[in-house]
Amino acid sequence: MSTVVLHPALLALDPEDREEVIRRRAENLAADTRRGLLAFPLALAIVVGSAEDSYRLGGFFLASAAILLTSTVFRGVLAWQFKRFFPASPDRWRLLFESSLLISSLAWGIGTGLALVTTGFSTASFLAVTISTAFLAHASSMYAASLRLLSAYIVAMTTPMAVALLVQNEIGAGLPGIGGLCFLTYIWAHGRAQHEATWKSAVDARLLEFRNRELTEAHASLQATRDALEEEVLIRTKDYERVAADLRQSERDYRVIFESVHDAILIFRPEGEVILKVNRRACEIYGYSRDELIGRSVVTFTLEPSRGKRRIAEVLESGGPLAFRTRHRRRDGQEIDVAIIASTLEYRGEPAILSVNRDVTEELRNQELRLAKDTAERANRAKSGFLANMSHEIRTPMAGVIGLSDLMLKTELSQRQRGYAETVRSSALALLEVIDDILDFSKIEAGKLNLERTVVDMADLVERTVEILQPGAAAKGIALQLHLDERLPGHLVAPSSRLRQVLLNLIGNAVKFTEDGEVEVRVDMTAADAELARLAFTVRDTGIGIPQSVLPRLFTPFTQADASTSRRFGGSGLGLAISQQLVALMGGKIEVDTAEGEGTRFHFELTFEVATAPDETTASTYRLGRANARILVAEDNPVNQLVILEQLGALGFYAEAVADGEEVLRAVEAESFDLILMDCQMPGLDGYETTRRLRDSYPERLPIVALTAHAMKGDRERCLDAGMDDYISKPFTEARLEKTLRRWLGQKSPSTPPVVAQ
Ligand code: ADP
């Protein structure tokens, strides 16, 4: 049950707010009460102080005073402890408060009424009535919130006084009664006005507070929105900056790529072929600046503008890519070959053509050069092949000439006949030498000459070489001297036959071109350690010398100092060219010092490996039991057959000849032989195949020595691969034949057992 009558203004509030406003009113009431707590005791003291004992000590009065003070103290407790009691039960608090207030006002009213009855118009009753009016005036403000309370307060305080006045008849109810009523009417009117104002202002305050809160909240949310917006703006700004930076970077990247491409890139408009964009390479290829190129027609470059335009039309029609080659003219007039790939594209919203042009001038030139080089190499190989074949074809009949002249010289001949036969022989040998030179030269040129290195005694090699030329020099009355460094290592690894060939050529020339005086050959060691030795070879003569004008082409093939030389001294003009190339292959260079009429000095230096042990193969000894050895000769050329049979007979062998491989197989089947001399090239079954068959059919290894006119590298390997044991190249001398036979028949002789211990 609520003790509060709601003022209509409160209806504008929510129930919660309404409660709050009512609570605050009560709180205000408690605060006002605390402030005015001494009002009743003080007023009581004033009235009591001014009254006579009869009144002051009256039983009723004392009782009223006691009630007044007690109820006032009680209200004081309610006011002071508002926070504790009110929330627990607002209705009870209000009931207790209002009850004690009404008791106080009633007690005061009774006290005042008693003063009037007991003392009449005394000082005490005057003060009591006056103070009562003050209380009532004050109450009209203080308790206006509840009109019911205010009314009860007025009634409680004024009723005892009105009764007292009526009892005091002599005073009458006339003037004071009318004044009192007027006052009460005022008090009531004032109370009502206060009542309205109180609630209106309370509700307004609450509403204001409410609005204020709303406003604050709105402000806060506005602030938050603004913050969020600011944040967003910041992020967007940063994003934008990053995107802009990315864009700038990628723009730079594309430009770098566009400008660094190795081909010219041109973008042009189809109408008028106007160039819109080019890269740096385009400027380089065509020799124009960028400004000059932009706005120019691409047809400027083409040698045939009509064809250029036709190409553009084709690209437009097909869209491309269209690849073609053409020639363009640079700004400086130079013509270049270009490979073009063109296609259409959209450039800045307009149709355009993209052309990627590559300068292939150099490439084409290289291709042509390569082609020319290939052709030249093929021709050179063909030439080498031809030379090798030719020399083979010549060597075969030469073998016959030399062999037969050898045999002829062994027969009874007149002086004149002997002279002819010797000339035939020496001419054939000279011709053979020329052929060998040509062959060597073509081998070197074709890069087919491999130096075969063996272990040699260098001093021995040089001595023997000089020995060969000694008779010629002696015949001319020239001193041929040899000086060998004493410190020469015992054995060296060297391409001995080629070194001998060079020395023979140089010493031979020296002897040939010296009429009197001397030829000196020197070998000096210029440097050495445990593994390598560097040797200097010098051939010096006191001959005719070489004219300065000839020196530059001295080592070029087929040249001689002057045309008359060849007639006077013979020679092909190949010797020095070959020697120089051989020395170069060995890692050196021939130098020449000469003065016309005074002599010539040839000099070269080479480094060789020092060998630890001598070559074993040269150390073997052979014994030959000629009468017991039977030799089968396989040779299809009848002249050569005759020569070999004669040579073998002269050496004391029993020999039989057959003309092809089939006959060899048959002969071996029928008789036993100790060795076969096998020509490699025979009609039908050739030497290689025959050997293979023999090796397959007979477990016992019969020595087979190849006879071949092929002097090219690889022949030896081919023969050995086929199963042959050795190799003699045609034409050969009797001495060479004997040496080889000795090697293979030495240990075969039953009459002379091998020296080797069993
Ligand atoms: P050839 O086989 O014709 O002698 P070379 O190449 O060996 O060819 O020599 C070329 C030419 O160099 C000779 O014909 C000769 O004119 C000149 N010549 C070479 N060696 C000597 C030398 N020791 N003294 C003078 N002239 C030389």
PDB file of all heavy atoms in Angstrom, residues 505 509-510 512-513 541 544-546 554 559-562 565 570-577 600 602, ligand 1:
ATOM      1  N   ASN A 505     116.179 -32.732 -92.472  1.00  0.00           N
ATOM      2  CA  ASN A 505     115.862 -31.655 -93.404  1.00  0.00           C
ATOM      3  C   ASN A 505     116.814 -30.478 -93.227  1.00  0.00           C
ATOM      4  O   ASN A 505     117.376 -29.962 -94.193  1.00  0.00           O
ATOM      5  CB  ASN A 505     114.414 -31.213 -93.202  1.00  0.00           C
ATOM      6  CG  ASN A 505     114.021 -30.085 -94.126  1.00  0.00           C
ATOM      7  OD1 ASN A 505     113.708 -29.000 -93.699  1.00  0.00           O
ATOM      8  ND2 ASN A 505     114.102 -30.308 -95.439  1.00  0.00           N
ATOM      9  N   ASN A 509     119.638 -29.559 -95.872  1.00  0.00           N
ATOM     10  CA  ASN A 509     119.667 -28.248 -96.531  1.00  0.00           C
ATOM     11  C   ASN A 509     121.029 -27.601 -96.368  1.00  0.00           C
ATOM     12  O   ASN A 509     121.586 -27.043 -97.312  1.00  0.00           O
ATOM     13  CB  ASN A 509     118.600 -27.328 -95.927  1.00  0.00           C
ATOM     14  CG  ASN A 509     117.240 -27.537 -96.568  1.00  0.00           C
ATOM     15  OD1 ASN A 509     117.138 -28.221 -97.600  1.00  0.00           O
ATOM     16  ND2 ASN A 509     116.203 -26.984 -95.970  1.00  0.00           N
ATOM     17  N   ALA A 510     121.549 -27.650 -95.128  1.00  0.00           N
ATOM     18  CA  ALA A 510     122.833 -27.001 -94.846  1.00  0.00           C
ATOM     19  C   ALA A 510     123.918 -27.571 -95.757  1.00  0.00           C
ATOM     20  O   ALA A 510     124.717 -26.837 -96.351  1.00  0.00           O
ATOM     21  CB  ALA A 510     123.201 -27.190 -93.376  1.00  0.00           C
ATOM     22  N   LYS A 512     123.378 -29.170 -98.544  1.00  0.00           N
ATOM     23  CA  LYS A 512     123.020 -28.898 -99.943  1.00  0.00           C
ATOM     24  C   LYS A 512     123.434 -27.487-100.377  1.00  0.00           C
ATOM     25  O   LYS A 512     123.938 -27.289-101.470  1.00  0.00           O
ATOM     26  CB  LYS A 512     121.503 -29.075-100.095  1.00  0.00           C
ATOM     27  CG  LYS A 512     121.001 -28.971-101.511  1.00  0.00           C
ATOM     28  CD  LYS A 512     119.697 -29.747-101.726  1.00  0.00           C
ATOM     29  CE  LYS A 512     118.489 -29.050-101.139  1.00  0.00           C
ATOM     30  NZ  LYS A 512     117.232 -29.698-101.513  1.00  0.00           N
ATOM     31  N   PHE A 513     123.204 -26.500 -99.443  1.00  0.00           N
ATOM     32  CA  PHE A 513     123.459 -25.117 -99.852  1.00  0.00           C
ATOM     33  C   PHE A 513     124.818 -24.586 -99.412  1.00  0.00           C
ATOM     34  O   PHE A 513     125.008 -23.384 -99.291  1.00  0.00           O
ATOM     35  CB  PHE A 513     122.327 -24.215 -99.334  1.00  0.00           C
ATOM     36  CG  PHE A 513     120.999 -24.543 -99.938  1.00  0.00           C
ATOM     37  CD1 PHE A 513     120.002 -25.158 -99.219  1.00  0.00           C
ATOM     38  CD2 PHE A 513     120.778 -24.268-101.300  1.00  0.00           C
ATOM     39  CE1 PHE A 513     118.790 -25.482 -99.788  1.00  0.00           C
ATOM     40  CE2 PHE A 513     119.560 -24.596-101.871  1.00  0.00           C
ATOM     41  CZ  PHE A 513     118.563 -25.214-101.133  1.00  0.00           C
ATOM     42  N   ASP A 541     125.616 -23.283 -91.001  1.00  0.00           N
ATOM     43  CA  ASP A 541     126.478 -23.591 -92.148  1.00  0.00           C
ATOM     44  C   ASP A 541     127.165 -22.327 -92.640  1.00  0.00           C
ATOM     45  O   ASP A 541     126.843 -21.217 -92.210  1.00  0.00           O
ATOM     46  CB  ASP A 541     125.652 -24.248 -93.269  1.00  0.00           C
ATOM     47  CG  ASP A 541     124.634 -23.319 -93.883  1.00  0.00           C
ATOM     48  OD1 ASP A 541     124.998 -22.203 -94.332  1.00  0.00           O
ATOM     49  OD2 ASP A 541     123.412 -23.704 -93.899  1.00  0.00           O
ATOM     50  N   ILE A 544     125.486 -20.418 -98.840  1.00  0.00           N
ATOM     51  CA  ILE A 544     125.143 -19.256 -99.660  1.00  0.00           C
ATOM     52  C   ILE A 544     124.229 -18.249 -98.940  1.00  0.00           C
ATOM     53  O   ILE A 544     124.094 -17.121 -99.366  1.00  0.00           O
ATOM     54  CB  ILE A 544     124.438 -19.691-100.984  1.00  0.00           C
ATOM     55  CG1 ILE A 544     123.152 -20.498-100.684  1.00  0.00           C
ATOM     56  CG2 ILE A 544     125.393 -20.495-101.872  1.00  0.00           C
ATOM     57  CD1 ILE A 544     122.294 -20.710-101.924  1.00  0.00           C
ATOM     58  N   GLY A 545     123.598 -18.681 -97.835  1.00  0.00           N
ATOM     59  CA  GLY A 545     122.708 -17.767 -97.099  1.00  0.00           C
ATOM     60  C   GLY A 545     121.380 -17.587 -97.838  1.00  0.00           C
ATOM     61  O   GLY A 545     121.179 -18.093 -98.929  1.00  0.00           O
ATOM     62  N   ILE A 546     120.504 -16.897 -97.184  1.00  0.00           N
ATOM     63  CA  ILE A 546     119.156 -16.721 -97.769  1.00  0.00           C
ATOM     64  C   ILE A 546     118.879 -15.221 -97.890  1.00  0.00           C
ATOM     65  O   ILE A 546     119.064 -14.473 -96.922  1.00  0.00           O
ATOM     66  CB  ILE A 546     118.091 -17.367 -96.859  1.00  0.00           C
ATOM     67  CG1 ILE A 546     118.422 -18.851 -96.640  1.00  0.00           C
ATOM     68  CG2 ILE A 546     116.692 -17.214 -97.442  1.00  0.00           C
ATOM     69  CD1 ILE A 546     117.640 -19.497 -95.528  1.00  0.00           C
ATOM     70  N   LEU A 554     109.806 -18.028 -96.040  1.00  0.00           N
ATOM     71  CA  LEU A 554     110.708 -19.186 -96.028  1.00  0.00           C
ATOM     72  C   LEU A 554     110.001 -20.468 -95.589  1.00  0.00           C
ATOM     73  O   LEU A 554     110.283 -21.543 -96.099  1.00  0.00           O
ATOM     74  CB  LEU A 554     111.869 -18.895 -95.069  1.00  0.00           C
ATOM     75  CG  LEU A 554     113.002 -19.914 -95.094  1.00  0.00           C
ATOM     76  CD1 LEU A 554     113.678 -19.924 -96.464  1.00  0.00           C
ATOM     77  CD2 LEU A 554     114.041 -19.609 -94.023  1.00  0.00           C
ATOM     78  N   THR A 559     107.828 -23.134-101.534  1.00  0.00           N
ATOM     79  CA  THR A 559     108.613 -21.947-101.930  1.00  0.00           C
ATOM     80  C   THR A 559     110.086 -22.239-101.762  1.00  0.00           C
ATOM     81  O   THR A 559     110.508 -22.879-100.799  1.00  0.00           O
ATOM     82  CB  THR A 559     108.300 -20.699-101.067  1.00  0.00           C
ATOM     83  OG1 THR A 559     108.039 -21.137 -99.760  1.00  0.00           O
ATOM     84  CG2 THR A 559     107.194 -19.866-101.639  1.00  0.00           C
ATOM     85  N   GLN A 560     110.844 -21.710-102.684  1.00  0.00           N
ATOM     86  CA  GLN A 560     112.301 -21.799-102.595  1.00  0.00           C
ATOM     87  C   GLN A 560     112.852 -20.393-102.734  1.00  0.00           C
ATOM     88  O   GLN A 560     112.154 -19.492-103.199  1.00  0.00           O
ATOM     89  CB  GLN A 560     112.843 -22.714-103.701  1.00  0.00           C
ATOM     90  CG  GLN A 560     112.445 -24.167-103.454  1.00  0.00           C
ATOM     91  CD  GLN A 560     112.952 -25.096-104.523  1.00  0.00           C
ATOM     92  OE1 GLN A 560     113.068 -24.700-105.684  1.00  0.00           O
ATOM     93  NE2 GLN A 560     113.254 -26.320-104.146  1.00  0.00           N
ATOM     94  N   ALA A 561     114.122 -20.231-102.282  1.00  0.00           N
ATOM     95  CA  ALA A 561     114.704 -18.886-102.246  1.00  0.00           C
ATOM     96  C   ALA A 561     114.631 -18.197-103.605  1.00  0.00           C
ATOM     97  O   ALA A 561     114.236 -17.045-103.710  1.00  0.00           O
ATOM     98  CB  ALA A 561     116.146 -18.952-101.764  1.00  0.00           C
ATOM     99  N   ASP A 562     114.980 -18.878-104.625  1.00  0.00           N
ATOM    100  CA  ASP A 562     114.749 -18.304-105.950  1.00  0.00           C
ATOM    101  C   ASP A 562     114.511 -19.426-106.941  1.00  0.00           C
ATOM    102  O   ASP A 562     114.854 -20.581-106.670  1.00  0.00           O
ATOM    103  CB  ASP A 562     115.908 -17.382-106.382  1.00  0.00           C
ATOM    104  CG  ASP A 562     117.169 -18.161-106.589  1.00  0.00           C
ATOM    105  OD1 ASP A 562     117.339 -18.750-107.667  1.00  0.00           O
ATOM    106  OD2 ASP A 562     117.980 -18.235-105.623  1.00  0.00           O
ATOM    107  N   THR A 565     117.072 -21.988-107.760  1.00  0.00           N
ATOM    108  CA  THR A 565     117.524 -22.957-106.755  1.00  0.00           C
ATOM    109  C   THR A 565     117.031 -24.364-107.067  1.00  0.00           C
ATOM    110  O   THR A 565     117.799 -25.319-107.008  1.00  0.00           O
ATOM    111  CB  THR A 565     117.001 -22.573-105.359  1.00  0.00           C
ATOM    112  OG1 THR A 565     117.107 -21.183-105.218  1.00  0.00           O
ATOM    113  CG2 THR A 565     117.770 -23.280-104.278  1.00  0.00           C
ATOM    114  N   GLY A 570     117.373 -29.015-106.752  1.00  0.00           N
ATOM    115  CA  GLY A 570     116.209 -29.914-106.581  1.00  0.00           C
ATOM    116  C   GLY A 570     115.438 -29.556-105.325  1.00  0.00           C
ATOM    117  O   GLY A 570     115.730 -28.564-104.669  1.00  0.00           O
ATOM    118  N   GLY A 571     114.441 -30.356-105.014  1.00  0.00           N
ATOM    119  CA  GLY A 571     113.649 -30.100-103.784  1.00  0.00           C
ATOM    120  C   GLY A 571     112.274 -29.551-104.118  1.00  0.00           C
ATOM    121  O   GLY A 571     112.044 -28.999-105.191  1.00  0.00           O
ATOM    122  N   SER A 572     111.378 -29.782-103.197  1.00  0.00           N
ATOM    123  CA  SER A 572     109.975 -29.416-103.439  1.00  0.00           C
ATOM    124  C   SER A 572     109.601 -28.099-102.776  1.00  0.00           C
ATOM    125  O   SER A 572     108.530 -27.567-103.009  1.00  0.00           O
ATOM    126  CB  SER A 572     109.058 -30.509-102.888  1.00  0.00           C
ATOM    127  OG  SER A 572     109.240 -30.583-101.484  1.00  0.00           O
ATOM    128  N   GLY A 573     110.465 -27.585-101.899  1.00  0.00           N
ATOM    129  CA  GLY A 573     110.076 -26.375-101.165  1.00  0.00           C
ATOM    130  C   GLY A 573     109.118 -26.674-100.022  1.00  0.00           C
ATOM    131  O   GLY A 573     108.516 -25.776 -99.469  1.00  0.00           O
ATOM    132  N   LEU A 574     109.014 -27.955 -99.679  1.00  0.00           N
ATOM    133  CA  LEU A 574     108.092 -28.338 -98.599  1.00  0.00           C
ATOM    134  C   LEU A 574     108.817 -28.606 -97.285  1.00  0.00           C
ATOM    135  O   LEU A 574     108.224 -28.535 -96.211  1.00  0.00           O
ATOM    136  CB  LEU A 574     107.344 -29.618 -98.974  1.00  0.00           C
ATOM    137  CG  LEU A 574     106.016 -29.465 -99.686  1.00  0.00           C
ATOM    138  CD1 LEU A 574     105.495 -30.837-100.081  1.00  0.00           C
ATOM    139  CD2 LEU A 574     105.006 -28.749 -98.811  1.00  0.00           C
ATOM    140  N   GLY A 575     110.108 -28.909 -97.387  1.00  0.00           N
ATOM    141  CA  GLY A 575     110.865 -29.354 -96.214  1.00  0.00           C
ATOM    142  C   GLY A 575     110.753 -28.428 -95.024  1.00  0.00           C
ATOM    143  O   GLY A 575     110.410 -28.863 -93.924  1.00  0.00           O
ATOM    144  N   LEU A 576     111.048 -27.128 -95.230  1.00  0.00           N
ATOM    145  CA  LEU A 576     111.029 -26.205 -94.094  1.00  0.00           C
ATOM    146  C   LEU A 576     109.616 -26.007 -93.548  1.00  0.00           C
ATOM    147  O   LEU A 576     109.429 -25.888 -92.341  1.00  0.00           O
ATOM    148  CB  LEU A 576     111.632 -24.848 -94.488  1.00  0.00           C
ATOM    149  CG  LEU A 576     113.161 -24.814 -94.535  1.00  0.00           C
ATOM    150  CD1 LEU A 576     113.654 -23.441 -94.966  1.00  0.00           C
ATOM    151  CD2 LEU A 576     113.765 -25.179 -93.178  1.00  0.00           C
ATOM    152  N   ALA A 577     108.654 -25.978 -94.474  1.00  0.00           N
ATOM    153  CA  ALA A 577     107.265 -25.813 -94.021  1.00  0.00           C
ATOM    154  C   ALA A 577     106.874 -26.970 -93.111  1.00  0.00           C
ATOM    155  O   ALA A 577     106.298 -26.778 -92.037  1.00  0.00           O
ATOM    156  CB  ALA A 577     106.327 -25.740 -95.212  1.00  0.00           C
ATOM    157  N   THR A 600     124.046 -19.652 -92.864  1.00  0.00           N
ATOM    158  CA  THR A 600     122.722 -19.657 -92.252  1.00  0.00           C
ATOM    159  C   THR A 600     122.759 -20.437 -90.954  1.00  0.00           C
ATOM    160  O   THR A 600     123.553 -21.377 -90.824  1.00  0.00           O
ATOM    161  CB  THR A 600     121.721 -20.332 -93.210  1.00  0.00           C
ATOM    162  OG1 THR A 600     121.862 -19.736 -94.486  1.00  0.00           O
ATOM    163  CG2 THR A 600     120.290 -20.159 -92.733  1.00  0.00           C
ATOM    164  N   PHE A 602     119.985 -22.273 -88.299  1.00  0.00           N
ATOM    165  CA  PHE A 602     118.618 -22.631 -87.882  1.00  0.00           C
ATOM    166  C   PHE A 602     118.677 -23.089 -86.433  1.00  0.00           C
ATOM    167  O   PHE A 602     119.607 -23.789 -86.043  1.00  0.00           O
ATOM    168  CB  PHE A 602     118.048 -23.753 -88.756  1.00  0.00           C
ATOM    169  CG  PHE A 602     117.638 -23.274 -90.123  1.00  0.00           C
ATOM    170  CD1 PHE A 602     118.507 -23.382 -91.207  1.00  0.00           C
ATOM    171  CD2 PHE A 602     116.386 -22.716 -90.323  1.00  0.00           C
ATOM    172  CE1 PHE A 602     118.134 -22.934 -92.463  1.00  0.00           C
ATOM    173  CE2 PHE A 602     116.012 -22.279 -91.585  1.00  0.00           C
ATOM    174  CZ  PHE A 602     116.878 -22.386 -92.666  1.00  0.00           C
TER     175      PHE A 602
HETATM  176  P1  ADP B   1     113.591 -27.804-100.499  1.00  0.00           P
HETATM  177  O1  ADP B   1     113.060 -29.153-100.343  1.00  0.00           O
HETATM  178  O2  ADP B   1     113.263 -27.188-101.830  1.00  0.00           O
HETATM  179  O3  ADP B   1     114.943 -27.588-100.056  1.00  0.00           O
HETATM  180  P2  ADP B   1     112.985 -26.393 -98.120  1.00  0.00           P
HETATM  181  O4  ADP B   1     111.659 -25.919 -97.546  1.00  0.00           O
HETATM  182  O5  ADP B   1     113.717 -27.302 -97.301  1.00  0.00           O
HETATM  183  O6  ADP B   1     112.637 -26.915 -99.533  1.00  0.00           O
HETATM  184  O7  ADP B   1     113.815 -25.116 -98.403  1.00  0.00           O
HETATM  185  C1  ADP B   1     113.223 -24.003 -99.037  1.00  0.00           C
HETATM  186  C2  ADP B   1     114.277 -23.106 -99.642  1.00  0.00           C
HETATM  187  O8  ADP B   1     114.931 -22.381 -98.576  1.00  0.00           O
HETATM  188  C3  ADP B   1     115.393 -23.827-100.339  1.00  0.00           C
HETATM  189  O9  ADP B   1     115.026 -24.122-101.670  1.00  0.00           O
HETATM  190  C4  ADP B   1     116.494 -22.803-100.268  1.00  0.00           C
HETATM  191  O10 ADP B   1     116.328 -21.810-101.289  1.00  0.00           O
HETATM  192  C5  ADP B   1     116.294 -22.150 -98.934  1.00  0.00           C
HETATM  193  N1  ADP B   1     117.185 -22.767 -97.921  1.00  0.00           N
HETATM  194  C6  ADP B   1     116.813 -23.674 -96.971  1.00  0.00           C
HETATM  195  N2  ADP B   1     117.878 -23.967 -96.179  1.00  0.00           N
HETATM  196  C7  ADP B   1     118.907 -23.237 -96.620  1.00  0.00           C
HETATM  197  C8  ADP B   1     120.281 -23.083 -96.184  1.00  0.00           C
HETATM  198  N3  ADP B   1     120.833 -23.780 -95.165  1.00  0.00           N
HETATM  199  N4  ADP B   1     121.077 -22.225 -96.876  1.00  0.00           N
HETATM  200  C9  ADP B   1     120.581 -21.539 -97.907  1.00  0.00           C
HETATM  201  N5  ADP B   1     119.286 -21.620 -98.329  1.00  0.00           N
HETATM  202  C10 ADP B   1     118.467 -22.448 -97.714  1.00  0.00           C
END
